[in-house]
Amino acid sequence: MTNKECWELSMRDVLAPPHFKQWGWWFTVGSALERRVQLEASADYPILANQYVTLVGDPGTGKGLVTDKIKALLAIEVEDKRPPAVRLSEAAAAGRAPRPKLLFNMAPDSITYEAFLVNINKEPKLLKTPAGPVFNSPMCFILDELTSLFVEKQERLGTALLTMWNGKDYSNDTKHSGSDFVHKPVINMIAGTTPDSLRKVTNNDLVGTGMSSRMIFVYSARTAKRQVFIPPADAGQVRAEKQMRDWLLGLSKVQATLKVSSEARDWAEHYANSPGFVR
């Protein structure tokens, strides 16, 4: 069974629209690739696998069921080699219990700009490149609700995410708190929202034209029918999810530059410049 088929089997009993599930799969793969895999491009303009995806639909369309599955798959625990005293001290400073170390850096459901900078800079990852080793800073947001991130008085976080979308270094000079800096970030983000909530944050400029042009909005009017109970995973689904986690663990070690054929380049240029291209 392929990994895509494993995903489809694990999502079999979730009555979310097929395109929500499809984008959930693509997002999971892109988040696991982080900055290690990119399309052939110049060093100044890398084309990465990161995505900003928003699932838009009325309550009950399965947005949260898709994001819950992604979060469960990417929450792969690894050994935390820091001394226990360091982990306890960090947790105490944050006012919470110690958390397990995860293979993929996942942001919490709600985060301030300052906490975001601490989290993304906490453990940069090393890339081996022809020019030598390079550190980078990956993070993924998996949110039930888009508006939990884009709220008033958090404009700096929105600006940071807008700038980091294409993987550029981020810097911000403040009047009283010095300078903020993130080296070679790569951000993946998926969130759900309703049409009304999306309209409100758009009207309030919390999601401006710059951010919305970087987002992929995936809309569904409704599901085929409402779902009250989701059956527990059967043996086949349990095996499928284990296979996917093992594959994601292996994918976390892959580093490559994908070559783009001349036919693919011509098709992309033609599509981007065609009258029907959505801008």
Side-chain angles (χ1 to χ4, degrees):
M1 186 181 296
T2 66
N3 295 299
K4 175 67 185 311
E5 290 169 340
C6 287
W7 167 263
E8 292 169 348
L9 176 58
S10 73
M11 297 294 289
R12 179 192 61 197
D13 301 320
V14 174
L15 293 184
H19 46 295
F20 280 9
K21 297 180 183 180
Q22 179 63 68
W23 276 99
W25 166 249
W26 285 332
F27 177 86
T28 302
V29 175
S31 295
L33 292 177
E34 297 178 331
R35 201 186 179 100
R36 289 170 286 96
V37 176
Q38 63 184 52
L39 288 179
E40 180 184 34
S42 70
D44 294 331
Y45 300 98
I47 301 176
L48 308 173
N50 65 311
Q51 306 150 57
Y52 287 4
V53 181
T54 303
L55 307 178
V56 185
D58 290 330
T61 48
K63 306 179 294 295
L65 297 175
V66 174
T67 55
D68 284 349
K69 180 66 70 174
I70 298 169
K71 190 178 294 186
L73 286 173
L74 290 175
I76 299 173
E77 296 184 15
V78 294
E79 180 185 1
D80 192 338
K81 297 181 179 179
R82 296 177 301 167
V86 173
R87 283 179 275 160
L88 288 171
S89 175
E90 178 188 271
R96 56 169 173 77
R99 293 173 179 166
K101 181 178 173 60
L102 299 180
L103 177 62
F104 303 109
N105 187 12
M106 293 180 10
D109 296 330
S110 180
I111 192 170
T112 65
Y113 171 76
E114 292 78 12
F116 165 69
L117 291 177
V118 171
N119 276 270
I120 197 170
N121 281 322
K122 185 163 56 178
E123 291 189 52
K125 296 186 177 181
L126 185 64
L127 286 179
K128 296 179 180 178
T129 71
V134 174
F135 283 99
N136 73 113
S137 307
M139 177 178 275
C140 61
F141 289 80
I142 306 169
L143 308 171
D144 286 337
E145 176 51 59
L146 179 71
T147 56
S148 67
L149 193 64
F150 295 98
V151 295
E152 291 186 26
K153 300 182 180 179
Q154 282 283 43
E155 292 84 358
R156 285 192 298 170
L157 179 56
T159 300
L161 293 175
L162 188 153
T163 304
M164 294 181 192
W165 175 78
N166 58 7
K168 294 191 300 184
D169 289 347
Y170 171 76
S171 62
N172 177 50
D173 292 332
T174 65
K175 186 175 182 179
H176 302 291
S177 304
S179 299
D180 303 323
F181 185 77
V182 180
H183 183 59
K184 294 194 179 301
V186 58
I187 305 292
N188 278 277
M189 179 172 63
I190 189 168
T193 196
T194 64
D196 285 343
S197 295
L198 180 61
R199 191 177 300 113
K200 288 176 183 177
V201 296
T202 303
N203 289 342
N204 293 335
D205 286 334
L206 295 175
V207 177
T209 55
M211 179 60 75
S212 61
S213 68
R214 288 159 170 77
M215 284 184 171
I216 300 167
F217 294 97
V218 186
Y219 174 75
S220 179
R222 59 184 177 86
T223 53
K225 62 179 181 179
R226 294 283 185 174
Q227 186 173 28
V228 179
F229 302 107
I230 302 174
D234 61 27
Q237 289 173 313
V238 171
R239 287 194 298 270
E241 292 193 13
K242 182 181 185 305
Q243 178 178 320
M244 281 191 289
R245 287 193 185 92
D246 291 343
W247 176 66
L248 290 170
L249 182 61
L251 202 60
S252 71
K253 303 172 185 176
V254 173
Q255 183 175 339
T257 298
L258 303 180
K259 300 292 183 180
V260 182
S261 68
S262 58
E263 293 84 1
R265 287 180 182 273
D266 291 343
W267 180 88
E269 292 288 347
H270 174 75
Y271 178 73
N273 289 282
S274 64
F277 181 70
V278 178
R279 292 178 173 84

